[in-house]
Amino acid sequence: MDDYEWNETSLEHLLTEIEKYTPLAELRGRPKKIRYVNVLLMGRIASGKSSFFNTVESVIKGRLSIRSRTDCAASSLAKSLDVYKVKGRRTFRHLRFRMLDCRCLEEDQSINSRDVEAILDGHVMDGYVFNQGTPISKDNSKFRKDPSIGDRVHCVLFVVDGSNPPEITMSQNVEKQVKELQELMNGRRIPQLILLTKIDTIVTVKEDLSKVFHSRSVLEMRDKVAMSFGLPSYTVLPMQNLANSRTASTEIKMLTLYNLRQILRAADDYLENFEDEILADTNQIPCCGLQLHI
């Protein structure tokens, strides 16, 4: 936690950092077209995917948000690609990130891999309705024909139910889907993180969430989840959503903002891999801290 203390002062520091976040802030002459970083949420039914967005918005706005429908049905509620932006509490302006919520990884009705490929590349617009048998076509009104780097997915967040760990509950079919999708992401150098939700089911942190990074039980679960996805342990972010509470404690707020900051940093890592492409798009060359317009 970068030696943060779990108090209102640290909470204000994190909130200010997120409200002031700008994609690739250190890159002088960064293009205005990258107004937002795009984070794709993927997970199984009832993993806490939609609840995470609601928790993020609730913490930032300072009031309960239920804008994203939570999964409580037998099949995924996310039948379309929903793109969410969040307004800052003090600026009333959209913060510089978007969360893309798509249908879940299901046993029999999962998202088409060609649709995922189109989403990753920035072709799919907000509101596109998925058709399991037929992926999006170039003739669809929700198909973006010439996406820029600002339209692509910059980070993927796999949301995992901590009370039903994947090494036990993930079927071979779902595991195969995940591996196929990860190949698409790896080929595009897209960072992948794992959000481990419902950590209050772990006894050692149930009464004191601030101990989450020091709990042996959490660390053991982190390592198992990371292994099941073939990702490093440090990519796992423990999380407690506002599922059964109308108000957020300081600890939940801290954990939410800390995880969001790590997600934004991962998105920046993606953009750094394409710095030359970004500069070429704007015809700008950084030189001694100055911008040269060609």
Side-chain angles (χ1 to χ4, degrees):
M1 285 291 289
D2 298 344
D3 295 327
Y4 278 126
E5 294 183 9
W6 293 64
N7 55 36
E8 291 296 327
T9 301
S10 298
L11 182 62
E12 182 67 20
H13 179 88
L14 278 171
L15 183 58
T16 300
E17 184 176 346
I18 287 170
E19 287 185 329
K20 291 183 176 180
Y21 167 78
T22 301
L24 281 186
E26 72 282 0
L27 179 62
R28 295 182 181 275
R30 61 188 177 278
K32 293 182 180 180
K33 67 169 58 178
I34 304 183
R35 298 181 59 196
Y36 307 97
V37 291
N38 301 314
V39 181
L40 177 62
L41 306 180
M42 304 199 76
R44 301 191 65 184
I45 298 171
S47 62
K49 180 168 54 74
S50 299
S51 293
F52 175 62
F53 169 77
N54 287 338
T55 301
V56 167
E57 186 166 59
S58 298
V59 170
I60 291 176
K61 284 188 172 182
R63 65 166 179 81
L64 185 67
S65 169
I66 54 173
R67 200 146 59 98
S68 178
R69 296 171 300 164
T70 55
D71 294 336
C72 56
S75 61
S76 173
L77 288 176
K79 304 300 183 183
S80 60
L81 179 70
D82 298 318
V83 180
Y84 294 105
K85 294 183 286 188
V86 179
K87 286 186 179 180
R89 184 190 314 177
R90 291 168 287 200
T91 64
F92 300 104
R93 296 179 180 177
H94 286 124
L95 303 185
R96 303 298 291 275
F97 66 89
R98 295 185 291 203
M99 291 191 177
L100 285 60
D101 190 5
C102 66
R103 71 180 304 150
C104 297
L105 297 168
E106 302 177 43
E107 185 66 34
D108 300 318
Q109 298 182 7
S110 187
I111 185 171
N112 190 296
S113 61
R114 289 176 62 185
D115 276 336
V116 174
E117 191 170 10
I119 292 171
L120 296 178
D121 291 338
H123 288 292
V124 185
M125 299 181 189
D126 182 22
Y128 167 70
V129 178
F130 297 106
N131 184 327
Q132 185 185 5
T134 307
I136 191 170
S137 68
K138 295 181 179 180
D139 297 329
N140 194 293
S141 61
K142 294 293 184 179
F143 186 88
R144 184 182 291 109
K145 292 182 172 59
D146 189 23
S148 70
I149 191 170
D151 297 315
R152 300 177 195 167
V153 167
H154 306 123
C155 178
V156 173
L157 188 66
F158 288 108
V159 184
V160 174
D161 181 351
S163 64
N164 293 290
E167 71 274 8
I168 298 175
T169 61
M170 188 185 295
S171 67
Q172 290 185 346
N173 185 30
V174 174
E175 183 177 4
K176 181 181 178 181
Q177 293 175 35
V178 170
K179 298 304 179 185
E180 289 177 352
L181 297 180
Q182 284 185 305
E183 287 185 10
L184 297 176
M185 299 163 192
N186 293 336
R188 290 160 173 77
R189 303 166 71 184
I190 301 174
Q192 301 154 47
L193 299 175
I194 302 170
L195 191 77
L196 183 61
T197 63
K198 305 180 184 180
I199 58 169
D200 61 324
T201 58
I202 300 174
V203 177
T204 55
V205 298
K206 187 173 184 178
E207 296 182 358
D208 188 356
L209 194 59
S210 66
K211 297 185 182 300
V212 63
F213 293 104
H214 305 284
S215 166
R216 183 179 298 274
S217 299
V218 173
L219 295 179
E220 290 175 352
M221 183 179 291
R222 175 204 67 182
D223 292 342
K224 290 179 181 179
V225 170
M227 184 176 297
S228 67
F229 279 84
L231 295 172
S233 295
Y234 58 76
T235 62
V236 180
L237 306 174
M239 181 63 197
Q240 176 57 40
N241 288 327
L242 284 173
N244 301 312
S245 174
R246 295 179 62 87
T247 58
S249 64
T250 298
E251 288 76 19
I252 288 181
K253 292 177 183 177
M254 283 282 296
L255 191 58
T256 301
L257 295 179
Y258 173 78
N259 287 337
L260 178 57
R261 189 189 65 173
Q262 298 307 102
I263 293 167
L264 298 180
R265 288 180 174 181
D268 265 356
D269 289 342
Y270 170 88
L271 292 175
E272 285 185 11
N273 288 331
F274 297 91
E275 186 173 311
D276 291 342
E277 179 180 341
I278 293 171
L279 292 172
D281 282 347
T282 53
N283 291 327
Q284 293 176 354
I285 302 175
C287 179
C288 303
L290 300 176
Q291 301 177 24
L292 299 181
H293 297 268
I294 301 174

